[in-house]
Amino acid sequence: MSIEQTAIKTTYFSIIGNICLALIKGFAGFFGNSYALIADAIESTTDIFASVLVLLGFKYAERPADENHPYGHGKIEPIITFLVVAFLVVSATVIAYESIENIQTPHKVPKPWTLIVLGIIILWKEISYRVVIKKSEETNSTSLKADAWHHRSDAITSIMAFIGISIAVIFGEGYETADDWAALMASGFILYNSYLILRPALGEIMDEQRYDDLLEEIRIKSLEVPGIIGTEKCFIRKAGMKFHVDLHAMVDGNISVTKGHDIAHLLQDHLNKEIPNLEHVLIHIEPDDATHQDYF
């Protein structure tokens, strides 16, 4: 299975899970007198739309390179990540607003059975986070990572709701708003996570050099090719789940242009074979100063 297919399959998992949880939270919050659960349901609803956006982004990124997009369509992924973050910010704002409104409005203590519902939700969302974050690491997908953090932020919101409802149930009258305060604090966590998701996507869209491990791997693998003496500049850009590389490689300065050209192709093929996540590899041949002789 390709990394693109893996990412798409994982996104379907997120969409189906969020639809089920949004319904469960909504009904449990309404019948269980829990505004924190209702706020949780609102976030799950935005998660559904966010996951659909991620799915559409993957479908678009799958398109092959064409005349107008010689490097492919992978740059759509960080753009989708920006939209997903926007959904997170909106959901956090809605939760915060509703929480403040409910704190000022007298209401009943949440039903104790809502704690059981929340316990199941927390467990499921944490499992979902671990599944999706693992797939995001396997595919190098920033938007899949953003989707994973949707699950984690949902789990955090549910944990805060669990704490708030527990306080309200245990202490009774006078503590009815405990779950509302919990939802308000959860919105702060969501906003913070939004920044953590946005930062790498911004770096990707700006072609920021943030791939030191991959750079070191490229340098090591390059030395395995006969005729390569060393490497100089190495620029890495990420587009979707693939990386584009511009590499300056040093060869014997006394060989012919044709020989240097052949070595460059050997190096290009070797890197593409050894590092599957590489897409376009551009090799620039440099003469090694120690071997180059000036005949003029």
Side-chain angles (χ1 to χ4, degrees), residues 24-37:
I24 292 171
K25 291 176 184 179
F27 283 116
F30 180 78
F31 292 107
N33 300 321
S34 172
Y35 286 92
L37 259 176

Side-chain angles (χ1 to χ4, degrees), residues 222-296:
S222 296
L223 295 177
E224 296 174 358
V225 176
I228 298 296
I229 297 173
T231 57
E232 288 187 330
K233 298 174 184 176
C234 183
F235 302 133
I236 301 173
R237 291 176 291 159
K238 187 170 182 288
M241 291 169 274
K242 298 287 188 177
F243 295 91
H244 303 305
V245 177
D246 296 339
L247 177 66
H248 288 215
M250 293 183 292
V251 299
D252 186 340
N254 298 309
I255 62 175
S256 67
V257 173
T258 301
K259 181 65 175 176
H261 175 79
D262 292 341
I263 292 174
H265 274 286
L266 285 174
L267 175 56
Q268 185 182 54
D269 293 340
H270 182 70
L271 291 177
N272 280 127
K273 178 183 177 182
E274 294 295 316
I275 310 175
N277 288 338
L278 298 187
E279 186 75 11
H280 293 278
V281 179
L282 178 64
I283 307 297
H284 177 79
I285 293 297
E286 295 276 2
D288 178 46
D289 291 338
T291 61
H292 177 58
Q293 296 180 14
D294 190 352
Y295 294 101
F296 299 96

Side-chain angles (χ1 to χ4, degrees), residues 31-256:
F31 292 107
N33 300 321
S34 172
Y35 286 92
L37 259 176
I38 292 173
D40 222 359
I42 293 171
E43 192 200 0
S44 288
T45 302
T46 62
D47 287 351
I48 295 169
F49 291 106
S51 295
V52 169
L53 276 177
V54 172
L55 178 61
L56 293 175
F58 286 145
K59 293 284 188 180
Y60 184 83
E62 269 194 314
R63 294 183 179 183
D66 54 37
E67 186 176 349
N68 293 326
H69 305 87
Y71 290 98
H73 298 78
K75 285 293 184 181
I76 189 67
E77 194 183 349
I79 296 174
I80 291 296
T81 303
F82 295 155
L83 294 175
V84 172
V85 169
F87 269 100
L88 272 174
V89 172
V90 169
S91 64
T93 303
V94 170
I95 291 171
Y97 176 80
E98 290 294 329
S99 299
I100 293 171
E101 286 286 309
N102 293 329
I103 288 170
Q104 299 171 351
T105 305
H107 57 81
K108 297 178 182 179
V109 173
K111 302 288 186 181
W113 57 263
T114 56
L115 292 173
I116 299 174
V117 175
L118 274 169
I120 295 172
I121 289 170
I122 291 167
L123 180 62
W124 174 252
K125 293 306 286 187
E126 184 60 24
I127 291 172
S128 298
Y129 166 77
R130 293 180 183 275
V131 169
V132 179
I133 199 68
K134 181 180 179 181
K135 296 299 181 182
S136 75
E137 291 169 355
E138 290 176 3
T139 60
N140 294 304
S141 170
T142 53
S143 57
L144 206 57
K145 182 179 180 181
D147 204 34
W149 271 101
H150 264 290
H151 291 296
R152 173 54 67 83
S153 66
D154 212 359
I156 291 171
T157 307
S158 297
I159 289 171
M160 300 303 288
F162 188 94
I163 295 171
I165 292 173
S166 297
I167 293 172
V169 169
I170 293 171
F171 294 99
E173 188 176 349
Y175 290 86
E176 298 90 344
T177 60
D179 68 327
D180 302 314
W181 282 104
L184 183 60
M185 286 187 284
S187 66
F189 279 106
I190 296 170
L191 287 174
Y192 176 68
N193 286 331
S194 298
Y195 168 75
L196 295 180
I197 297 166
L198 179 67
R199 182 64 188 85
L202 184 61
E204 184 176 330
I205 207 76
M206 295 295 292
D207 291 332
E208 185 178 357
Q209 289 286 86
R210 338 179 34 252
Y211 312 107
D212 292 341
D213 291 342
L214 178 58
L215 190 150
E216 185 62 25
E217 185 179 6
I218 289 171
R219 294 195 186 282
I220 292 172
K221 294 294 181 182
S222 296
L223 295 177
E224 296 174 358
V225 176
I228 298 296
I229 297 173
T231 57
E232 288 187 330
K233 298 174 184 176
C234 183
F235 302 133
I236 301 173
R237 291 176 291 159
K238 187 170 182 288
M241 291 169 274
K242 298 287 188 177
F243 295 91
H244 303 305
V245 177
D246 296 339
L247 177 66
H248 288 215
M250 293 183 292
V251 299
D252 186 340
N254 298 309
I255 62 175
S256 67

